[in-house]
Amino acid sequence: AELRPQVARLYDEAESRARSAGVAGFDEARPILCILKFAGLPRLARVECELALEMAARHGAVTAGLQPYEHWEATRYQSYSTRWQTEGHHMDTIEVTAAWSALPALYRACREAVLSLCDGEHFGAHWSHVYPEGACQYMTLRLPPMAHDRALDLHRQAWDRVQRLTLAHGGSIAHHHGAGWFRGPWMAEELGGGLPLLQAIKDALDPQGLCNPGKLGLRG
């Protein structure tokens, strides 16, 4: 609809449940939280907000209180990992991108693949970087307390499944977190003929391989 919200955050059921507890309007029939914020010229912002709410209402949504937004704005730079890690859990986040037409199937596939790794696995997702063509799917994975070696094995399996599924659905294996050790093995499939070109540039500028060795899928 060519609306341009300053903030757009859509949460899956797992993340919505944690963020909407006790907020009026959320129940089994309406379990999904979506936060929209419009800014700019007052008249324009009001019109965009009205149009967005009309679209949401057509899909059965209702306007809830501001508590979820206010909580997100107040805590957006705080990490929740410390609490879970202190209690013995292992957790990570993986963000990928895909076209709108592919995202529903990609989400379902990633959720099923991660949750099937072990009992007690947590999988949640939200979409907060949105564009006319598609969006960033930001996933939180959390393993229950277990032996460290077992957790690392499952962690690698989760990454492997999510990256392969993303490529299979025509997506990109990263949005803004970059490509370090874990994403390296999939960069050739991600970039195709672009990776040898990057390697040639790297070799020309850094013949001894001193700068960020082994990153971006390039040689160590």
Side-chain angles (χ1 to χ4, degrees):
E2 299 188 10
L3 306 181
R4 296 292 183 268
Q6 184 189 58
V7 174
R9 297 182 69 85
L10 177 65
Y11 299 90
D12 74 349
E13 190 167 349
E15 292 201 9
S16 295
R17 191 181 304 114
R19 295 172 180 272
S20 63
V23 179
F26 292 92
D27 52 32
E28 292 183 2
R30 295 189 179 95
I32 299 301
L33 169 64
C34 179
I35 294 175
L36 296 172
K37 176 182 179 180
F38 293 93
L41 296 173
R43 289 173 61 191
L44 181 59
R46 280 195 294 270
V47 169
E48 287 194 316
C49 183
E50 290 171 2
L51 291 173
L53 292 178
E54 289 174 4
M55 292 170 60
R58 288 198 295 271
H59 292 275
V62 298
T63 303
L66 293 177
Q67 299 99 308
Y69 167 75
E70 291 170 346
H71 180 266
W72 167 76
E73 192 171 53
T75 62
R76 59 185 300 190
Y77 298 118
Q78 296 179 17
S79 172
Y80 292 93
S81 303
T82 304
R83 169 202 161 189
W84 293 104
Q85 291 168 344
T86 300
E87 296 177 3
H89 296 259
H90 295 73
M91 66 183 300
D92 201 359
T93 59
I94 306 177
E95 40 81 78
V96 300
T97 60
W100 287 113
S101 57
L103 279 172
L106 174 61
Y107 166 74
R108 289 191 295 268
C110 288
R111 184 176 187 275
E112 180 181 353
V114 171
L115 291 179
S116 65
L117 281 171
C118 71
D119 292 336
E121 171 88 49
H122 169 84
F123 176 91
H126 69 269
W127 300 264
S128 56
H129 300 79
V130 299
Y131 311 93
E133 304 82 4
C136 164
Q137 179 170 292
Y138 196 111
M139 295 160 280
T140 298
L141 288 56
R142 188 167 62 245
L143 292 165
M146 63 177 64
H148 189 59
D149 289 346
R150 173 63 172 156
L152 289 180
D153 179 56
L154 292 175
H155 180 240
R156 288 185 179 276
Q157 290 187 52
W159 269 85
D160 182 76
R161 294 182 182 191
V162 168
Q163 300 293 275
R164 292 186 186 282
L165 285 168
T166 300
L167 292 169
H169 285 79
S172 177
I173 61 173
H175 178 263
H176 59 278
H177 281 189
W181 292 109
F182 278 153
R183 283 195 168 100
W186 294 278
M187 290 300 291
E189 188 174 350
E190 163 90 350
L191 297 180
L195 188 61
L197 176 61
L198 289 179
Q199 186 68 64
I201 296 173
K202 181 74 157 59
D203 292 341
L205 297 177
D206 181 25
Q208 293 181 298
L210 301 178
C211 300
N212 267 341
K215 304 297 176 64
L216 297 174
L218 302 175
R219 286 193 297 271

